[in-house]
Amino acid sequence: VGSRMSITCFFGESPYQSSKLYGPITELLSEDNPPKYRATTVKDHTSYLHNRGLDGTSALSRYKI
């Protein structure tokens, strides 16, 4: 009951070279609590942020399911 918030945090020695997908924690998902955002890699997310520039809008809309 209540609102839900997701925050992206990347850690590692060389996350830009990794193809690891980051997304919702599967143990917290269910038919009643489906994912709201798709998984992404650090490289794809960072590339998107750099290419779109600073336009004052949230990057979350790109990942919304």
mmCIF file of all heavy atoms in Angstrom, residues 12-56:
data_model
loop_
_atom_site.group_PDB
_atom_site.id
_atom_site.type_symbol
_atom_site.label_atom_id
_atom_site.label_comp_id
_atom_site.label_asym_id
_atom_site.label_seq_id
_atom_site.Cartn_x
_atom_site.Cartn_y
_atom_site.Cartn_z
ATOM 1 N N GLY A 12 30.919 -0.751 -9.598
ATOM 2 C CA GLY A 12 31.816 -1.724 -10.205
ATOM 3 C C GLY A 12 33.077 -1.065 -10.736
ATOM 4 O O GLY A 12 33.151 0.139 -10.882
ATOM 5 N N GLU A 13 34.072 -1.903 -11.026
ATOM 6 C CA GLU A 13 35.337 -1.382 -11.520
ATOM 7 C C GLU A 13 35.224 -0.888 -12.960
ATOM 8 O O GLU A 13 35.816 0.095 -13.329
ATOM 9 C CB GLU A 13 36.408 -2.464 -11.433
ATOM 10 C CG GLU A 13 36.785 -2.816 -10.011
ATOM 11 C CD GLU A 13 37.828 -3.889 -9.966
ATOM 12 O OE1 GLU A 13 38.576 -4.037 -10.951
ATOM 13 O OE2 GLU A 13 37.912 -4.582 -8.951
ATOM 14 N N SER A 14 34.488 -1.621 -13.796
ATOM 15 C CA SER A 14 34.362 -1.240 -15.193
ATOM 16 C C SER A 14 32.943 -1.531 -15.690
ATOM 17 O O SER A 14 32.739 -2.354 -16.570
ATOM 18 C CB SER A 14 35.385 -1.990 -16.046
ATOM 19 O OG SER A 14 35.324 -1.541 -17.371
ATOM 20 N N PRO A 15 31.949 -0.834 -15.154
ATOM 21 C CA PRO A 15 30.567 -1.136 -15.526
ATOM 22 C C PRO A 15 30.256 -0.813 -16.983
ATOM 23 O O PRO A 15 29.340 -1.376 -17.557
ATOM 24 C CB PRO A 15 29.744 -0.266 -14.583
ATOM 25 C CG PRO A 15 30.652 0.847 -14.213
ATOM 26 C CD PRO A 15 32.040 0.251 -14.193
ATOM 27 N N TYR A 16 31.018 0.074 -17.610
ATOM 28 C CA TYR A 16 30.727 0.464 -18.988
ATOM 29 C C TYR A 16 31.053 -0.649 -19.979
ATOM 30 O O TYR A 16 30.557 -0.647 -21.087
ATOM 31 C CB TYR A 16 31.495 1.738 -19.352
ATOM 32 C CG TYR A 16 31.099 2.887 -18.479
ATOM 33 C CD1 TYR A 16 31.922 3.323 -17.448
ATOM 34 C CD2 TYR A 16 29.873 3.510 -18.655
ATOM 35 C CE1 TYR A 16 31.541 4.372 -16.629
ATOM 36 C CE2 TYR A 16 29.474 4.548 -17.829
ATOM 37 C CZ TYR A 16 30.319 4.974 -16.820
ATOM 38 O OH TYR A 16 29.925 5.989 -16.011
ATOM 39 N N GLN A 17 31.867 -1.618 -19.584
ATOM 40 C CA GLN A 17 32.216 -2.728 -20.451
ATOM 41 C C GLN A 17 31.300 -3.929 -20.247
ATOM 42 O O GLN A 17 31.321 -4.866 -21.026
ATOM 43 C CB GLN A 17 33.676 -3.154 -20.197
ATOM 44 C CG GLN A 17 34.682 -2.044 -20.372
ATOM 45 C CD GLN A 17 34.623 -1.409 -21.754
ATOM 46 O OE1 GLN A 17 34.467 -2.094 -22.751
ATOM 47 N NE2 GLN A 17 34.738 -0.097 -21.810
ATOM 48 N N SER A 18 30.504 -3.903 -19.225
ATOM 49 C CA SER A 18 29.657 -5.041 -18.880
ATOM 50 C C SER A 18 28.377 -5.064 -19.715
ATOM 51 O O SER A 18 27.820 -4.025 -20.049
ATOM 52 C CB SER A 18 29.281 -4.965 -17.400
ATOM 53 O OG SER A 18 28.367 -5.979 -17.074
ATOM 54 N N SER A 19 27.898 -6.266 -20.021
ATOM 55 C CA SER A 19 26.620 -6.417 -20.711
ATOM 56 C C SER A 19 25.531 -6.847 -19.720
ATOM 57 O O SER A 19 24.439 -7.241 -20.125
ATOM 58 C CB SER A 19 26.742 -7.442 -21.832
ATOM 59 O OG SER A 19 27.124 -8.692 -21.310
ATOM 60 N N LYS A 20 25.836 -6.734 -18.435
ATOM 61 C CA LYS A 20 24.886 -7.136 -17.397
ATOM 62 C C LYS A 20 23.647 -6.233 -17.436
ATOM 63 O O LYS A 20 23.752 -5.022 -17.535
ATOM 64 C CB LYS A 20 25.540 -7.041 -16.019
ATOM 65 C CG LYS A 20 24.598 -7.406 -14.897
ATOM 66 C CD LYS A 20 25.252 -7.337 -13.550
ATOM 67 C CE LYS A 20 24.182 -7.454 -12.499
ATOM 68 N NZ LYS A 20 24.390 -8.377 -11.480
ATOM 69 N N LEU A 21 22.484 -6.865 -17.357
ATOM 70 C CA LEU A 21 21.237 -6.111 -17.315
ATOM 71 C C LEU A 21 20.889 -5.748 -15.880
ATOM 72 O O LEU A 21 20.992 -6.580 -14.972
ATOM 73 C CB LEU A 21 20.096 -6.942 -17.900
ATOM 74 C CG LEU A 21 20.034 -7.030 -19.405
ATOM 75 C CD1 LEU A 21 18.938 -8.001 -19.829
ATOM 76 C CD2 LEU A 21 19.789 -5.674 -20.023
ATOM 77 N N TYR A 22 20.463 -4.517 -15.680
ATOM 78 C CA TYR A 22 19.998 -4.042 -14.385
ATOM 79 C C TYR A 22 18.523 -3.719 -14.520
ATOM 80 O O TYR A 22 18.109 -3.050 -15.468
ATOM 81 C CB TYR A 22 20.770 -2.788 -13.961
ATOM 82 C CG TYR A 22 22.201 -3.074 -13.633
ATOM 83 C CD1 TYR A 22 23.181 -3.053 -14.626
ATOM 84 C CD2 TYR A 22 22.579 -3.381 -12.340
ATOM 85 C CE1 TYR A 22 24.504 -3.327 -14.328
ATOM 86 C CE2 TYR A 22 23.900 -3.659 -12.026
ATOM 87 C CZ TYR A 22 24.849 -3.624 -13.036
ATOM 88 O OH TYR A 22 26.157 -3.901 -12.735
ATOM 89 N N GLY A 23 17.744 -4.220 -13.586
ATOM 90 C CA GLY A 23 16.307 -4.003 -13.650
ATOM 91 C C GLY A 23 15.660 -4.273 -12.315
ATOM 92 O O GLY A 23 16.336 -4.364 -11.290
ATOM 93 N N PRO A 24 14.342 -4.436 -12.333
ATOM 94 C CA PRO A 24 13.615 -4.690 -11.088
ATOM 95 C C PRO A 24 14.099 -5.972 -10.405
ATOM 96 O O PRO A 24 14.519 -6.919 -11.067
ATOM 97 C CB PRO A 24 12.167 -4.851 -11.550
ATOM 98 C CG PRO A 24 12.107 -4.224 -12.901
ATOM 99 C CD PRO A 24 13.455 -4.395 -13.490
ATOM 100 N N ILE A 25 14.015 -5.999 -9.108
ATOM 101 C CA ILE A 25 14.378 -7.184 -8.330
ATOM 102 C C ILE A 25 13.280 -8.219 -8.522
ATOM 103 O O ILE A 25 12.127 -8.005 -8.125
ATOM 104 C CB ILE A 25 14.555 -6.831 -6.843
ATOM 105 C CG1 ILE A 25 15.655 -5.792 -6.685
ATOM 106 C CG2 ILE A 25 14.850 -8.081 -6.016
ATOM 107 C CD1 ILE A 25 15.739 -5.187 -5.296
ATOM 108 N N THR A 26 13.623 -9.335 -9.169
ATOM 109 C CA THR A 26 12.613 -10.325 -9.544
ATOM 110 C C THR A 26 11.853 -10.897 -8.354
ATOM 111 O O THR A 26 10.678 -11.226 -8.477
ATOM 112 C CB THR A 26 13.241 -11.465 -10.361
ATOM 113 O OG1 THR A 26 14.306 -12.048 -9.617
ATOM 114 C CG2 THR A 26 13.778 -10.958 -11.686
ATOM 115 N N GLU A 27 12.487 -11.001 -7.210
ATOM 116 C CA GLU A 27 11.822 -11.555 -6.022
ATOM 117 C C GLU A 27 10.690 -10.642 -5.535
ATOM 118 O O GLU A 27 9.829 -11.080 -4.778
ATOM 119 C CB GLU A 27 12.829 -11.773 -4.879
ATOM 120 C CG GLU A 27 13.849 -12.856 -5.151
ATOM 121 C CD GLU A 27 15.061 -12.374 -5.942
ATOM 122 O OE1 GLU A 27 15.130 -11.183 -6.301
ATOM 123 O OE2 GLU A 27 15.939 -13.212 -6.216
ATOM 124 N N LEU A 28 10.713 -9.386 -5.940
ATOM 125 C CA LEU A 28 9.676 -8.452 -5.512
ATOM 126 C C LEU A 28 8.544 -8.315 -6.524
ATOM 127 O O LEU A 28 7.568 -7.620 -6.270
ATOM 128 C CB LEU A 28 10.294 -7.067 -5.253
ATOM 129 C CG LEU A 28 11.390 -7.013 -4.191
ATOM 130 C CD1 LEU A 28 11.931 -5.598 -4.072
ATOM 131 C CD2 LEU A 28 10.865 -7.506 -2.854
ATOM 132 N N LEU A 29 8.680 -8.987 -7.671
ATOM 133 C CA LEU A 29 7.665 -8.899 -8.721
ATOM 134 C C LEU A 29 6.662 -10.039 -8.603
ATOM 135 O O LEU A 29 6.984 -11.117 -8.122
ATOM 136 C CB LEU A 29 8.332 -8.955 -10.098
ATOM 137 C CG LEU A 29 9.351 -7.857 -10.394
ATOM 138 C CD1 LEU A 29 10.002 -8.102 -11.740
ATOM 139 C CD2 LEU A 29 8.702 -6.494 -10.329
ATOM 140 N N SER A 30 5.458 -9.768 -9.041
ATOM 141 C CA SER A 30 4.407 -10.788 -9.055
ATOM 142 C C SER A 30 3.354 -10.346 -10.068
ATOM 143 O O SER A 30 3.467 -9.281 -10.675
ATOM 144 C CB SER A 30 3.765 -10.927 -7.672
ATOM 145 O OG SER A 30 3.034 -9.758 -7.359
ATOM 146 N N GLU A 31 2.330 -11.170 -10.234
ATOM 147 C CA GLU A 31 1.237 -10.793 -11.125
ATOM 148 C C GLU A 31 0.546 -9.528 -10.626
ATOM 149 O O GLU A 31 0.105 -8.691 -11.404
ATOM 150 C CB GLU A 31 0.236 -11.947 -11.210
ATOM 151 C CG GLU A 31 -0.786 -11.766 -12.310
ATOM 152 C CD GLU A 31 -1.650 -12.988 -12.477
ATOM 153 O OE1 GLU A 31 -1.101 -14.086 -12.664
ATOM 154 O OE2 GLU A 31 -2.889 -12.820 -12.422
ATOM 155 N N ASP A 32 0.473 -9.380 -9.310
ATOM 156 C CA ASP A 32 -0.147 -8.196 -8.709
ATOM 157 C C ASP A 32 0.813 -7.014 -8.617
ATOM 158 O O ASP A 32 0.384 -5.892 -8.366
ATOM 159 C CB ASP A 32 -0.670 -8.524 -7.309
ATOM 160 C CG ASP A 32 -1.791 -9.546 -7.341
ATOM 161 O OD1 ASP A 32 -2.555 -9.552 -8.333
ATOM 162 O OD2 ASP A 32 -1.895 -10.334 -6.387
ATOM 163 N N ASN A 33 2.105 -7.265 -8.767
ATOM 164 C CA ASN A 33 3.125 -6.219 -8.661
ATOM 165 C C ASN A 33 4.112 -6.371 -9.833
ATOM 166 O O ASN A 33 5.262 -6.749 -9.632
ATOM 167 C CB ASN A 33 3.850 -6.345 -7.315
ATOM 168 C CG ASN A 33 4.764 -5.168 -7.063
ATOM 169 O OD1 ASN A 33 4.477 -4.055 -7.479
ATOM 170 N ND2 ASN A 33 5.864 -5.421 -6.393
ATOM 171 N N PRO A 34 3.656 -6.074 -11.066
ATOM 172 C CA PRO A 34 4.511 -6.257 -12.241
ATOM 173 C C PRO A 34 5.586 -5.168 -12.326
ATOM 174 O O PRO A 34 5.477 -4.127 -11.676
ATOM 175 C CB PRO A 34 3.526 -6.137 -13.405
ATOM 176 C CG PRO A 34 2.468 -5.227 -12.891
ATOM 177 C CD PRO A 34 2.339 -5.559 -11.424
ATOM 178 N N PRO A 35 6.624 -5.393 -13.138
ATOM 179 C CA PRO A 35 7.645 -4.348 -13.303
ATOM 180 C C PRO A 35 7.048 -3.118 -13.974
ATOM 181 O O PRO A 35 6.140 -3.237 -14.806
ATOM 182 C CB PRO A 35 8.692 -5.015 -14.202
ATOM 183 C CG PRO A 35 7.963 -6.089 -14.924
ATOM 184 C CD PRO A 35 6.893 -6.551 -13.979
ATOM 185 N N LYS A 36 7.546 -1.965 -13.615
ATOM 186 C CA LYS A 36 7.088 -0.712 -14.222
ATOM 187 C C LYS A 36 8.105 -0.178 -15.223
ATOM 188 O O LYS A 36 7.773 0.677 -16.041
ATOM 189 C CB LYS A 36 6.828 0.329 -13.135
ATOM 190 C CG LYS A 36 5.684 -0.066 -12.233
ATOM 191 C CD LYS A 36 5.366 1.011 -11.243
ATOM 192 C CE LYS A 36 4.179 0.552 -10.394
ATOM 193 N NZ LYS A 36 3.560 1.633 -9.683
ATOM 194 N N TYR A 37 9.342 -0.673 -15.135
ATOM 195 C CA TYR A 37 10.408 -0.226 -16.026
ATOM 196 C C TYR A 37 11.181 -1.426 -16.548
ATOM 197 O O TYR A 37 11.322 -2.425 -15.858
ATOM 198 C CB TYR A 37 11.360 0.727 -15.284
ATOM 199 C CG TYR A 37 10.660 1.957 -14.785
ATOM 200 C CD1 TYR A 37 10.178 2.032 -13.491
ATOM 201 C CD2 TYR A 37 10.450 3.032 -15.624
ATOM 202 C CE1 TYR A 37 9.502 3.153 -13.038
ATOM 203 C CE2 TYR A 37 9.774 4.165 -15.183
ATOM 204 C CZ TYR A 37 9.302 4.217 -13.891
ATOM 205 O OH TYR A 37 8.630 5.326 -13.457
ATOM 206 N N ARG A 38 11.697 -1.327 -17.759
ATOM 207 C CA ARG A 38 12.467 -2.414 -18.360
ATOM 208 C C ARG A 38 13.906 -2.376 -17.871
ATOM 209 O O ARG A 38 14.390 -1.339 -17.394
ATOM 210 C CB ARG A 38 12.421 -2.325 -19.873
ATOM 211 C CG ARG A 38 13.153 -1.115 -20.441
ATOM 212 C CD ARG A 38 13.133 -1.159 -21.972
ATOM 213 N NE ARG A 38 13.802 -0.011 -22.523
ATOM 214 C CZ ARG A 38 15.114 0.085 -22.721
ATOM 215 N NH1 ARG A 38 15.908 -0.916 -22.387
ATOM 216 N NH2 ARG A 38 15.647 1.169 -23.232
ATOM 217 N N ALA A 39 14.591 -3.491 -18.002
ATOM 218 C CA ALA A 39 15.997 -3.587 -17.615
ATOM 219 C C ALA A 39 16.868 -2.893 -18.660
ATOM 220 O O ALA A 39 16.481 -2.736 -19.820
ATOM 221 C CB ALA A 39 16.395 -5.044 -17.480
ATOM 222 N N THR A 40 18.068 -2.476 -18.267
ATOM 223 C CA THR A 40 19.017 -1.837 -19.170
ATOM 224 C C THR A 40 20.438 -2.115 -18.698
ATOM 225 O O THR A 40 20.650 -2.556 -17.573
ATOM 226 C CB THR A 40 18.761 -0.321 -19.272
ATOM 227 O OG1 THR A 40 19.556 0.219 -20.325
ATOM 228 C CG2 THR A 40 19.113 0.393 -17.966
ATOM 229 N N THR A 41 21.401 -1.847 -19.564
ATOM 230 C CA THR A 41 22.805 -1.969 -19.181
ATOM 231 C C THR A 41 23.336 -0.585 -18.809
ATOM 232 O O THR A 41 22.749 0.437 -19.186
ATOM 233 C CB THR A 41 23.661 -2.526 -20.333
ATOM 234 O OG1 THR A 41 23.626 -1.592 -21.414
ATOM 235 C CG2 THR A 41 23.176 -3.890 -20.791
ATOM 236 N N VAL A 42 24.438 -0.550 -18.092
ATOM 237 C CA VAL A 42 25.061 0.726 -17.738
ATOM 238 C C VAL A 42 25.462 1.461 -19.015
ATOM 239 O O VAL A 42 25.231 2.665 -19.153
ATOM 240 C CB VAL A 42 26.298 0.515 -16.834
ATOM 241 C CG1 VAL A 42 27.034 1.814 -16.604
ATOM 242 C CG2 VAL A 42 25.891 -0.112 -15.518
ATOM 243 N N LYS A 43 26.034 0.739 -19.963
ATOM 244 C CA LYS A 43 26.492 1.353 -21.209
ATOM 245 C C LYS A 43 25.335 2.005 -21.966
ATOM 246 O O LYS A 43 25.443 3.151 -22.409
ATOM 247 C CB LYS A 43 27.165 0.300 -22.083
ATOM 248 C CG LYS A 43 27.724 0.848 -23.366
ATOM 249 C CD LYS A 43 28.416 -0.241 -24.153
ATOM 250 C CE LYS A 43 28.983 0.316 -25.444
ATOM 251 N NZ LYS A 43 29.667 -0.706 -26.220
ATOM 252 N N ASP A 44 24.226 1.287 -22.120
ATOM 253 C CA ASP A 44 23.075 1.848 -22.832
ATOM 254 C C ASP A 44 22.484 3.053 -22.109
ATOM 255 O O ASP A 44 22.142 4.058 -22.729
ATOM 256 C CB ASP A 44 21.999 0.787 -23.029
ATOM 257 C CG ASP A 44 22.370 -0.246 -24.070
ATOM 258 O OD1 ASP A 44 23.303 0.021 -24.864
ATOM 259 O OD2 ASP A 44 21.735 -1.310 -24.085
ATOM 260 N N HIS A 45 22.367 2.955 -20.793
ATOM 261 C CA HIS A 45 21.800 4.054 -20.010
ATOM 262 C C HIS A 45 22.693 5.294 -20.086
ATOM 263 O O HIS A 45 22.203 6.402 -20.331
ATOM 264 C CB HIS A 45 21.617 3.615 -18.554
ATOM 265 C CG HIS A 45 21.057 4.679 -17.684
ATOM 266 N ND1 HIS A 45 19.788 5.188 -17.844
ATOM 267 C CD2 HIS A 45 21.602 5.361 -16.641
ATOM 268 C CE1 HIS A 45 19.572 6.124 -16.932
ATOM 269 N NE2 HIS A 45 20.662 6.243 -16.196
ATOM 270 N N THR A 46 23.978 5.114 -19.920
ATOM 271 C CA THR A 46 24.915 6.243 -19.963
ATOM 272 C C THR A 46 24.947 6.869 -21.356
ATOM 273 O O THR A 46 24.947 8.091 -21.491
ATOM 274 C CB THR A 46 26.321 5.787 -19.540
ATOM 275 O OG1 THR A 46 26.229 5.205 -18.243
ATOM 276 C CG2 THR A 46 27.287 6.947 -19.496
ATOM 277 N N SER A 47 24.958 6.036 -22.385
ATOM 278 C CA SER A 47 24.955 6.531 -23.756
ATOM 279 C C SER A 47 23.694 7.354 -24.024
ATOM 280 O O SER A 47 23.758 8.429 -24.622
ATOM 281 C CB SER A 47 25.034 5.349 -24.725
ATOM 282 O OG SER A 47 24.949 5.792 -26.045
ATOM 283 N N TYR A 48 22.569 6.864 -23.575
ATOM 284 C CA TYR A 48 21.314 7.595 -23.745
ATOM 285 C C TYR A 48 21.376 8.958 -23.058
ATOM 286 O O TYR A 48 20.998 9.979 -23.651
ATOM 287 C CB TYR A 48 20.145 6.777 -23.201
ATOM 288 C CG TYR A 48 18.858 7.557 -23.141
ATOM 289 C CD1 TYR A 48 18.189 7.905 -24.306
ATOM 290 C CD2 TYR A 48 18.327 7.962 -21.922
ATOM 291 C CE1 TYR A 48 17.018 8.639 -24.259
ATOM 292 C CE2 TYR A 48 17.155 8.687 -21.876
ATOM 293 C CZ TYR A 48 16.502 9.032 -23.035
ATOM 294 O OH TYR A 48 15.345 9.760 -22.982
ATOM 295 N N LEU A 49 21.853 8.989 -21.826
ATOM 296 C CA LEU A 49 21.935 10.255 -21.097
ATOM 297 C C LEU A 49 22.852 11.262 -21.791
ATOM 298 O O LEU A 49 22.528 12.440 -21.895
ATOM 299 C CB LEU A 49 22.412 10.016 -19.664
ATOM 300 C CG LEU A 49 21.452 9.278 -18.740
ATOM 301 C CD1 LEU A 49 22.088 9.079 -17.376
ATOM 302 C CD2 LEU A 49 20.132 10.018 -18.615
ATOM 303 N N HIS A 50 23.982 10.798 -22.281
ATOM 304 C CA HIS A 50 24.924 11.693 -22.956
ATOM 305 C C HIS A 50 24.376 12.192 -24.292
ATOM 306 O O HIS A 50 24.580 13.341 -24.655
ATOM 307 C CB HIS A 50 26.270 10.994 -23.162
ATOM 308 C CG HIS A 50 27.070 10.887 -21.913
ATOM 309 N ND1 HIS A 50 27.735 11.941 -21.342
ATOM 310 C CD2 HIS A 50 27.288 9.830 -21.101
ATOM 311 C CE1 HIS A 50 28.339 11.558 -20.243
ATOM 312 N NE2 HIS A 50 28.074 10.264 -20.066
ATOM 313 N N ASN A 51 23.688 11.332 -25.026
ATOM 314 C CA ASN A 51 23.176 11.713 -26.350
ATOM 315 C C ASN A 51 21.945 12.608 -26.298
ATOM 316 O O ASN A 51 21.757 13.427 -27.192
ATOM 317 C CB ASN A 51 22.861 10.463 -27.182
ATOM 318 C CG ASN A 51 24.110 9.741 -27.608
ATOM 319 O OD1 ASN A 51 25.153 10.345 -27.803
ATOM 320 N ND2 ASN A 51 24.012 8.424 -27.747
ATOM 321 N N ARG A 52 21.135 12.477 -25.278
ATOM 322 C CA ARG A 52 19.906 13.274 -25.235
ATOM 323 C C ARG A 52 20.155 14.682 -24.712
ATOM 324 O O ARG A 52 19.390 15.589 -24.967
ATOM 325 C CB ARG A 52 18.825 12.587 -24.415
ATOM 326 C CG ARG A 52 18.984 12.728 -22.925
ATOM 327 C CD ARG A 52 17.857 12.001 -22.216
ATOM 328 N NE ARG A 52 17.948 12.228 -20.806
ATOM 329 C CZ ARG A 52 17.173 13.065 -20.134
ATOM 330 N NH1 ARG A 52 16.227 13.726 -20.739
ATOM 331 N NH2 ARG A 52 17.332 13.227 -18.838
ATOM 332 N N GLY A 53 21.215 14.855 -23.961
ATOM 333 C CA GLY A 53 21.528 16.181 -23.427
ATOM 334 C C GLY A 53 20.665 16.535 -22.232
ATOM 335 O O GLY A 53 19.864 15.731 -21.753
ATOM 336 N N LEU A 54 20.833 17.741 -21.765
ATOM 337 C CA LEU A 54 20.085 18.225 -20.606
ATOM 338 C C LEU A 54 18.891 19.037 -21.093
ATOM 339 O O LEU A 54 19.030 20.174 -21.506
ATOM 340 C CB LEU A 54 20.990 19.097 -19.711
ATOM 341 C CG LEU A 54 22.198 18.388 -19.127
ATOM 342 C CD1 LEU A 54 23.089 19.387 -18.398
ATOM 343 C CD2 LEU A 54 21.761 17.290 -18.184
ATOM 344 N N ASP A 55 17.728 18.417 -21.077
ATOM 345 C CA ASP A 55 16.536 19.129 -21.528
ATOM 346 C C ASP A 55 15.521 19.337 -20.407
ATOM 347 O O ASP A 55 14.422 19.801 -20.637
ATOM 348 C CB ASP A 55 15.894 18.414 -22.716
ATOM 349 C CG ASP A 55 15.395 17.013 -22.377
ATOM 350 O OD1 ASP A 55 15.523 16.599 -21.204
ATOM 351 O OD2 ASP A 55 14.890 16.336 -23.282
ATOM 352 N N GLY A 56 15.903 18.976 -19.200
ATOM 353 C CA GLY A 56 15.032 19.194 -18.051
ATOM 354 C C GLY A 56 13.949 18.143 -17.861
ATOM 355 O O GLY A 56 13.108 18.279 -16.985
#
